[in-house]
Amino acid sequence: MKSKKKRVREITDYIKFVFPMLILYILFFILPLFQTIGYSFTDYNGINPKKEFTGLTNYFDVFQDKWFYNSMAFTGKSVLLMILLANVLGFLLALALNTKIRSRNILRAIVFCPFVFNNVTVGFIWQFLLGRFMTDLYPLTGWKVFNIGWLSDNSLVLYSVVFVKLWQSIGYFMVIYLAGLQSIPTELMEAATIDGASTFQKFRYITLPLLKNTHMFVMITCMINAFRSFDLVYTMTQGGPLNATKT
């Protein structure tokens, strides 16, 4: 009887903790989601309160718009590049900063620092650096790298956007990999060393297998993060040049 009452009290406590956030989640995420889906079947333009039901017309229009496929291609390429580079570079940085060097804590903080800035701030910073700042530096230095249109060249703007997004988020993925590396039992490494395993063998047969879940978490998180880059891209390029970066 007591255990049943205790169980009921525990469930009640859980509900008390979850209920406030659940209400906020429903109000600010679930309801707007369904409202947006409803608007997609009307001619609502965001300004005029009067709207008429149009069925699937908006969806047919989207699939007939050539810029839709251009946006899908740009988004797909940027997401794939982000997943690949963030996993590789984040992992390499974690390996490098997991060693016993004097300045590792300072270096970790420097690498992680850009992640605390929001996308809009990062976008405006790099819009200035890759645009006006480089343009002003070229006459002073004569270096051709400052005369390249990183944000105005169709063939380069994708890589510029990916670079900026990577610069912003690589510190976060490094921290995740650091946590994974530091969770590996030292006893395994010591046993492997005693058995005569080389550094590469320990990395291949101990480190990589034990980081399998970490790799998967970083990959999924990176994909979500890459898809949520509209504000960063827009503040950097406003969809240009020639709609090349519309997302």
Side-chain angles (χ1 to χ4, degrees):
M1 189 67 178
K2 289 183 178 180
S3 61
K4 186 177 180 179
K5 289 183 178 180
K6 183 178 179 181
R7 182 62 179 168
V8 171
R9 188 169 60 253
E10 288 178 352
I11 294 174
T12 305
D13 291 338
Y14 294 152
I15 293 174
K16 289 179 181 178
F17 279 109
V18 172
F19 189 73
M21 289 305 301
L22 181 62
I23 293 297
L24 292 175
Y25 182 74
I26 292 173
L27 286 175
F28 294 103
F29 289 94
I30 302 300
L31 290 181
L33 173 63
F34 283 101
Q35 190 177 33
T36 303
I37 294 173
Y39 284 151
S40 70
F41 296 102
T42 69
D43 61 353
Y44 182 61
N45 60 9
I47 299 174
N48 189 351
K50 295 181 180 181
K51 50 186 178 292
E52 295 182 4
F53 181 77
T54 58
L56 297 174
T57 303
N58 291 329
Y59 292 94
F60 290 136
D61 290 343
V62 164
F63 287 108
Q64 292 174 1
D65 186 353
K66 66 175 182 177
W67 296 117
F68 169 75
Y69 297 100
N70 181 75
S71 299
M72 292 292 290
F74 173 80
T75 302
K77 291 175 184 177
S78 62
V79 168
L80 289 176
L81 285 173
M82 272 295 298
I83 291 174
L84 175 64
L85 295 175
N87 273 274
V88 174
L89 296 179
F91 185 45
L92 292 177
L93 278 171
L95 286 173
L97 296 180
N98 196 42
T99 56
K100 294 180 179 179
I101 56 177
R102 289 184 179 181
S103 58
R104 66 177 181 177
N105 290 333
I106 297 175
L107 292 174
R108 289 174 184 175
I110 292 172
V111 175
F112 182 79
C113 186
F115 184 71
V116 304
F117 299 108
N118 60 48
N119 285 344
V120 175
T121 303
V122 172
F124 279 124
I125 290 172
W126 281 98
Q127 181 198 44
F128 171 74
L129 292 177
L130 296 177
R132 181 179 174 182
F133 182 69
M134 284 198 171
T135 303
D136 292 341
L137 281 180
Y138 177 66
L140 298 175
T141 62
W143 295 352
K144 292 184 178 180
V145 68
F146 294 133
N147 197 35
I148 297 174
W150 297 103
L151 299 180
S152 58
D153 190 329
N154 284 3
S155 61
L156 295 176
V157 67
L158 168 66
Y159 305 105
S160 300
V161 170
V162 171
F163 167 78
V164 172
K165 189 62 182 174
L166 194 64
W167 172 83
Q168 179 196 20
S169 58
I170 194 68
Y172 172 76
F173 300 122
M174 177 201 67
V175 169
I176 299 300
Y177 275 121
L178 274 173
L181 288 171
Q182 293 174 3
S183 67
I184 297 175
T186 55
E187 293 83 1
L188 290 177
M189 293 297 186
E190 292 172 355
T193 302
I194 293 172
D195 290 340
S198 65
T199 302
F200 177 77
Q201 288 174 325
K202 287 187 286 186
F203 176 78
R204 169 67 180 81
Y205 296 105
I206 297 177
T207 303
L208 283 181
L210 291 179
L211 288 179
K212 180 175 65 176
N213 292 334
T214 305
H215 286 305
M216 185 60 64
F217 176 79
V218 170
M219 187 176 299
I220 294 173
T221 306
C222 181
M223 182 174 62
I224 295 171
N225 195 29
F227 273 116
R228 300 173 62 184
S229 301
F230 169 78
D231 44 359
L232 173 67
V233 177
Y234 189 78
T235 51
M236 284 183 64
T237 65
Q238 289 79 49
L242 300 176
N243 297 318
T245 58
K246 276 194 172 181
T247 59

